[in-house]
């Protein structure tokens, strides 16, 4: 099927980024979030990103005017009723994702693809909540979306090949490098990356080294561009903990047990950069 109009549900950091790359690739985009302030925040971020691109000579003012003409903002999920694909980017909670995907299945065209931007959750379980599980697929984007090239494409158990292929082609057209992954908790990247961050948090919790020393060691000794605890702060410690909990539940293996350092940080409200404090202090 040919995709011409893209819907994005969820206008947070990920949703705004997905909308941006889709518009820049020439697609008309409907960006929806039930919270008006979040929608306006997304529009402001897009305006700033495009203004900066004009300032640097990367795009013309005419191109930006065309981008803005392709964007429809809304707080009503029903405005997604005529899109060819909805990329859902709501909070990483399977019950919420199942609820909104069920709604989308009821209001979208019968041939609309329902994609979910999840970093670890079961595509099959999310799909089963809809009236069209064969048209549900995972599209795992990485933050920041305009910069990161990878998109993991994850079909569920009953996702049809034509839906998977359409999403792969869409990813390419918006300038991404799609990688096909079999459904499994964490898919490829997070299956490897989250246990790495979790073990670093265990080293921190046990007092073996400070956060600075742990990150410095991994950058200088393993060639990592960013230390694991700084990365956890950037991702959001609450998000990392949720994925750890999901792995521990799904695999029933003690090697995936979440670090108590993550639990303590979340209980204290120290979620990383987004709250101004995590393993590091960002308040200054």
């Amino acid at each position: 099927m040919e995709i011409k109009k893209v819907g994005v549900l969820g206008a947070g950091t990920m949703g705004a980024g997905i909308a941006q790359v889709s518009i820049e690739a020439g697609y008309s985009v409907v960006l929806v979030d039930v919270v008006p302030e979040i929608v306006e925040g997304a529009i402001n971020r897009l305006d700033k990103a495009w203004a900066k691109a004009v300032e640097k000579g990367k795009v013309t003012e005419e191109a930006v005017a065309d981008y803005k003409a392709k964007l429809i903002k809304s707080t009503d999920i029903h405005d997604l009723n005529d899109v060819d694909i909805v990329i859902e980017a709501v909070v990483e909670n399977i019950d919420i994702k199942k609820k909104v995907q069920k709604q989308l299945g009821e209001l979208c065209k019968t041939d609309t693809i329902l994609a979910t931007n999840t970093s670890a959750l079961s595509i099959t379980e999310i799909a089963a909540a809809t009236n069209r599980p064969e048209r549900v697929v995972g599209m795992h984007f990485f933050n920041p979306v305009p910069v990161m090239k990878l998109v993991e494409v994850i079909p569920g158990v009953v996702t049809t090949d034509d839906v998977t292929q359409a999403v792969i082609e869409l990813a390419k057209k918006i300038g991404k490098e799609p990688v096909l992954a079999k459904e499994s908790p964490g898919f490829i990247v997070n299956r490897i990356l989250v246990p790495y961050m979790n073990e670093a948090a265990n080293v921190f919790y046990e007092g073996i080294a400070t956060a600075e020393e742990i990150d410095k060691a991994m950058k200088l000794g393993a060639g990592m561009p960013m230390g694991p605890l700084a990365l956890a702060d950037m991702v959001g410690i609450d998000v990392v903990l949720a994925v750890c909990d999901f792995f521990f539940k799904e695999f029933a293996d003690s090697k995936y047990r979440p670090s108590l350092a993550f639990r303590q940080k979340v209980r204290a409200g120290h979620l990383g950069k987004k709250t101004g404090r995590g393993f590091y202090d960002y308040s200054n």
Side-chain angles (χ1 to χ4, degrees):
M1 66 172 292
E2 184 180 4
I3 294 173
K4 294 182 179 179
K5 191 172 185 180
V6 175
V8 180
L9 179 59
T13 300
M14 298 303 292
I18 295 166
Q20 179 180 337
V21 297
S22 300
I23 291 167
E24 290 173 359
Y27 292 99
S28 295
V29 172
V30 182
L31 178 61
V32 176
D33 198 294
V34 295
V35 181
E37 292 79 10
I38 293 178
V39 175
E40 292 307 317
I43 300 302
N44 289 337
R45 286 196 298 276
L46 291 174
D47 287 344
K48 287 179 182 178
W50 288 330
K52 192 172 183 180
V54 170
E55 187 180 318
K56 291 185 174 181
K58 293 182 177 180
V59 298
T60 64
E61 290 185 358
E62 291 76 15
V64 170
D66 183 57
Y67 292 163
K68 292 181 179 181
K70 285 184 167 67
L71 176 62
I72 298 171
K73 63 178 182 178
S74 174
T75 56
D76 186 351
I77 193 172
H78 291 86
D79 286 333
L80 297 168
N81 65 349
D82 65 342
V83 301
D84 301 309
I85 182 172
V86 179
I87 304 173
E88 165 266 303
V90 303
V91 64
E92 188 76 344
N93 177 294
I94 198 160
D95 291 329
I96 294 174
K97 285 184 178 291
K98 286 161 66 174
K99 180 180 178 180
V100 298
Q101 288 286 354
K102 181 177 184 294
Q103 282 182 278
L104 291 170
E106 292 168 351
L107 67 90
C108 290
K109 298 183 299 181
T110 56
D111 62 345
T112 297
I113 295 172
L114 306 182
T116 178
N117 176 53
T118 174
S119 60
L121 301 175
S122 169
I123 308 303
T124 299
E125 183 174 347
I126 293 169
T130 77
N131 59 3
R132 60 181 84 181
E134 72 285 351
R135 302 196 68 76
V136 178
V137 64
M139 284 187 83
H140 180 204
F141 289 82
F142 290 77
N143 187 31
V145 175
V147 175
M148 300 295 281
K149 300 295 287 185
L150 177 64
V151 173
E152 291 178 322
V153 177
I154 313 99
V157 168
V158 298
T159 305
T160 58
D161 291 341
D162 65 313
V163 166
T164 301
Q165 192 56 44
V167 166
I168 288 173
E169 291 304 316
L170 173 65
K172 291 177 181 177
K173 288 178 181 177
I174 62 176
K176 303 305 177 188
E177 293 284 346
V179 172
L180 185 63
K182 180 182 177 181
E183 182 182 336
S184 179
F187 318 131
I188 301 171
V189 173
N190 281 335
R191 174 73 177 271
I192 298 167
L193 191 61
V194 171
Y196 161 67
M197 289 188 282
N198 193 52
E199 194 58 30
N202 282 332
V203 171
F204 172 84
Y205 184 77
E206 292 168 17
I208 295 170
T210 64
E212 292 84 355
E213 289 166 334
I214 292 166
D215 284 352
K216 181 179 180 180
M218 293 310 298
K219 286 191 289 184
L220 298 181
M224 297 296 185
M226 176 184 286
L229 299 181
L231 179 60
D233 276 357
M234 185 180 79
V235 172
I237 296 172
D238 55 333
V239 175
V240 179
L241 177 59
V243 176
C244 287
D245 278 330
F246 180 66
F247 282 7
F248 190 42
K249 173 178 173 289
E250 289 289 302
F251 291 115
D253 188 329
S254 62
K255 74 179 182 179
Y256 294 109
R257 182 182 293 116
S259 173
L260 288 174
F262 286 151
R263 293 211 185 279
Q264 287 184 337
K265 295 289 184 186
V266 170
R267 286 166 179 161
H270 301 164
L271 309 183
K273 281 191 171 183
K274 60 187 174 184
T275 59
R277 187 173 176 185
F279 287 100
Y280 295 91
D281 189 343
Y282 303 93
S283 58
N284 295 324

